[in-house]
Amino acid sequence: ARGTVSIRVTVDPCGRVVQARPARRGGDPRLDRAALQSLRSWRFDALPPDVPQELQSGVVSFVFRLD
């Protein structure tokens, strides 16, 4: 079996995750928790100093393979 979890993430200009939440509801809450826990520990590259220092957001998808 497989499960895909999409997480909407917001990152500050320094590369820190400041918000993460499931992009859609109704999935397996255990997979949502595992994806959120993992993503909150990530660190993204900081924005270069010559671009506007604004929050960045997007969606990260995790594909779980349940054996």
Side-chain angles (χ1 to χ4, degrees):
R2 291 179 183 261
T4 301
V5 175
S6 295
I7 303 294
R8 181 163 302 283
V9 62
T10 303
V11 179
D12 72 11
C14 294
R16 292 182 297 251
V17 174
V18 295
Q19 185 178 39
R21 63 177 195 245
R24 57 190 138 129
R25 301 286 181 195
D28 186 325
R30 295 170 298 168
L31 297 182
D32 288 348
R33 280 193 300 275
L36 286 166
Q37 182 179 7
S38 177
L39 188 57
R40 285 187 180 123
S41 70
W42 289 13
R43 181 72 181 245
F44 293 83
D45 290 339
L47 290 175
D50 59 333
V51 302
Q53 300 296 300
E54 300 172 345
L55 294 175
Q56 306 294 307
S57 62
V59 175
V60 177
S61 294
F62 291 81
V63 178
F64 292 92
R65 190 169 165 185
L66 309 170
D67 293 326

